[in-house]
Amino acid sequence: MFKTLKLKDLVIFFLLILVTVTIGYCYANSQARSQLWQKAYPIRAELSVRQITCSEDSPIWLTDILKHQTRNNNAPANQIAYIEPNGIAHHCENGYVGQYPLLSDATTVQTRFRYASVTKLWTADAILELIKEGKLSLDTPLTDIISEIDTPIDTRINDITIGQLLLHRAGFDRYSVFGQDMFGIGKDICPNHLAGLNDITLGFDPDSKTSYSNLGYCLLGEVISRLNQDRPYTDIITQRYQLNDTSLRFVPNSALADEVTYNYVETGLTGYADIYTAFDYEGLASAAGLSGNAIDLAKQVHVMAVKPAPNILSDSPKVACDTTQIAECYGYAMLMYQPTPQSKKVHYRDGSLLGLSTVVAVDERGSTVALLSNGTPDNGKVGNDNIKMMIYEQLIQ
């Protein structure tokens, strides 16, 4: 029988065996499946950049940024919004809502993305409003508001102020077990076990250096709650910023019905199979709990940026930092970038969670850019900074 087979038939036969074995292996091995999916990303990226839609008269650079983000930063679905100083708004979107290109709906202006740490803008703005209302000051001790802190073993905790929490200078080291609890690492302190602050040791003297802290912003969320008759932080922000009239919603430990699929792949035994349950979203509400679309994000930030000082663009004169570095100088809500003393200033706030990233930029005139993406770059900070530089170059023109 085999003598009658032609070479072409044998090649097809062995190819079928190879395909069958490969499919079977990938089906049985989730890591192999994930690695194969990652290697296919360039194909998905090209399909996504062919699916770009924009509002009328949007500047071409919005699509340039979407193409760069898609091809270079593992983000097959994106939204970008741009509000000019005069309030005219533009937006562009690309990619697909679901995991598989062509087989799912295209990303639209209404598609939901998680905002990650950009949520901190609402927390900072609400605190700054309380200061302008005379209910707080930047120098108010945290212990004046959080009464559970009464017998701290580290007495430096008594010195923590509201201003230090805003500036990420309160002494919480995110790389210690007490400084970063968003992954359930270390002791559960905020928001439900605040008395635990009596038992921790700070990583450094308050106001001596800067160290990014989600715990600090969770505490600021509690301050907002305490100064509003102990109402839940999420209720206060929803009412104060009229979120029910927008796409903005606080996220639960599950995907919302109108939410994009995130380009996260578990590639190792230490990965997270379910990104929606990897975080304590109750504890992260005031640090990384909001979601929505890019145009509503840009509109909200645009309003915050033109409020009387102190506002989200305010910088602290007490913090000495290098403004020529694009992600070094924290203000009371955003990071300021000014490459030379003669250059224009642009303020940034970014954030990322598993499989998603967010960037907001505001210039001195109030121009606002919001970029939402369902992926994160392989080269981390470098990829994020490249996008910020692209936005900076457009805003200063």
Side-chain angles (χ1 to χ4, degrees):
M1 178 182 71
F2 289 104
K3 292 182 179 179
T4 62
L5 291 175
K6 297 179 181 180
L7 178 61
K8 178 181 177 181
D9 296 326
L10 288 171
V11 171
I12 292 174
F13 175 71
F14 284 112
L15 282 175
L16 288 173
I17 291 177
L18 179 62
V19 169
T20 301
V21 171
T22 301
I23 292 174
Y25 177 73
C26 290
Y27 178 79
N29 189 323
S30 62
Q31 291 186 39
R33 239 185 2 256
S34 298
Q35 290 168 359
L36 182 62
W37 182 247
Q38 284 182 312
K39 290 178 180 178
Y41 180 74
I43 299 173
R44 291 187 285 140
E46 289 308 310
L47 291 172
S48 292
V49 297
R50 295 174 183 272
Q51 183 62 45
I52 296 180
T53 58
C54 293
S55 58
E56 188 176 358
D57 298 325
S58 291
I60 191 66
W61 61 265
L62 297 183
T63 62
D64 292 339
I65 288 177
L66 292 188
K67 290 177 182 178
H68 178 92
Q69 190 76 333
T70 300
R71 288 174 171 148
N72 298 282
N73 288 340
N74 294 323
N78 306 271
Q79 293 174 337
I80 190 169
Y82 167 51
I83 299 180
E84 300 181 46
N86 58 12
I88 296 176
H90 311 276
H91 63 85
C92 293
E93 307 78 40
N94 82 293
Y96 298 86
V97 175
Q99 186 176 15
Y100 302 105
L102 304 178
L103 300 181
S104 63
D105 294 334
T107 306
T108 71
V109 66
Q110 297 299 334
T111 301
R112 179 177 305 280
F113 289 72
R114 299 193 174 203
Y115 290 171
S117 285
V118 169
T119 301
K120 291 181 175 70
L121 291 178
W122 281 263
T123 302
D125 185 75
I127 288 288
L128 295 172
E129 287 296 302
L130 289 170
I131 289 172
K132 284 181 278 192
E133 293 168 5
K135 298 177 181 179
L136 275 179
S137 77
L138 292 171
D139 296 323
T140 298
L142 177 64
T143 54
D144 284 3
I145 312 298
I146 307 298
S147 59
E148 287 89 339
I149 308 173
D150 51 7
T151 55
I153 61 172
D154 186 341
T155 57
R156 294 176 298 176
I157 290 176
N158 293 321
D159 300 327
I160 294 174
T161 67
I162 298 301
Q164 290 163 3
L165 290 169
L166 288 170
L167 295 166
H168 300 277
R169 295 173 64 84
F172 301 120
D173 183 352
R174 71 180 302 187
Y175 298 109
S176 75
V177 295
F178 298 123
Q180 172 64 297
D181 55 1
M182 64 185 295
F183 288 98
I185 299 172
K187 195 169 185 178
D188 178 13
I189 296 175
C190 187
N192 296 319
H193 302 95
L194 293 174
L197 289 166
N198 291 302
D199 303 324
I200 72 171
T201 300
L202 295 180
F204 54 91
D205 291 339
D207 223 17
S208 64
K209 69 175 186 177
T210 301
S211 181
Y212 191 82
S213 174
N214 287 302
L215 173 57
Y217 266 74
C218 181
L219 293 172
L220 288 173
E222 282 302 297
V223 169
I224 292 168
S225 174
R226 300 290 172 94
L227 295 182
N228 283 275
Q229 294 80 47
D230 288 327
R231 292 169 55 213
Y233 167 86
T234 52
D235 291 353
I236 297 164
I237 297 300
T238 297
Q239 181 181 24
R240 181 182 287 260
Y241 296 92
Q242 300 179 328
L243 300 190
N244 287 334
D245 296 331
T246 73
S247 66
L248 275 69
R249 298 292 184 272
F250 285 96
V251 296
N253 284 4
S254 60
L256 295 171
D258 57 350
E259 193 170 348
V260 74
T261 299
Y262 300 108
N263 189 34
Y264 171 76
V265 176
E266 182 187 0
T267 56
L269 296 177
T270 59
Y272 290 89
D274 183 355
I275 66 172
Y276 303 104
T277 58
F279 307 100
D280 172 16
Y281 282 105
E282 182 181 7
L284 280 181
S286 57
L290 278 171
S291 68
N293 59 49
I295 192 67
D296 284 345
L297 169 57
K299 288 177 178 177
Q300 291 251 327
V301 174
H302 182 72
V303 171
M304 293 181 196
V306 297
K307 289 182 177 180
N311 60 30
I312 61 170
L313 303 187
S314 297
D315 300 306
S316 172
K318 297 194 298 182
V319 180
C321 58
D322 186 359
T323 61
T324 67
Q325 301 300 308
I326 199 163
E328 296 293 335
C329 291
Y330 283 98
Y332 292 117
M334 306 185 80
L335 296 94
M336 192 262 282
Y337 175 62
Q338 186 181 30
T340 70
Q342 294 75 36
S343 302
K344 295 180 179 178
K345 297 178 182 177
V346 172
H347 285 78
Y348 295 95
R349 173 70 265 182
D350 61 356
S352 64
L353 291 172
L354 299 175
L356 67 104
S357 57
T358 306
V359 176
V360 174
V362 184
D363 71 10
E364 295 173 292
R365 304 168 300 163
S367 297
T368 305
V369 177
L371 173 64
L372 302 177
S373 303
N374 75 334
T376 56
D378 287 333
N379 54 355
K381 183 178 183 299
V382 174
N384 288 328
D385 288 353
N386 287 340
I387 279 290
K388 293 174 187 174
M389 283 303 305
M390 290 180 69
I391 294 172
Y392 179 85
E393 294 298 328
Q394 296 301 325
L395 289 181
I396 66 173
Q397 290 182 9

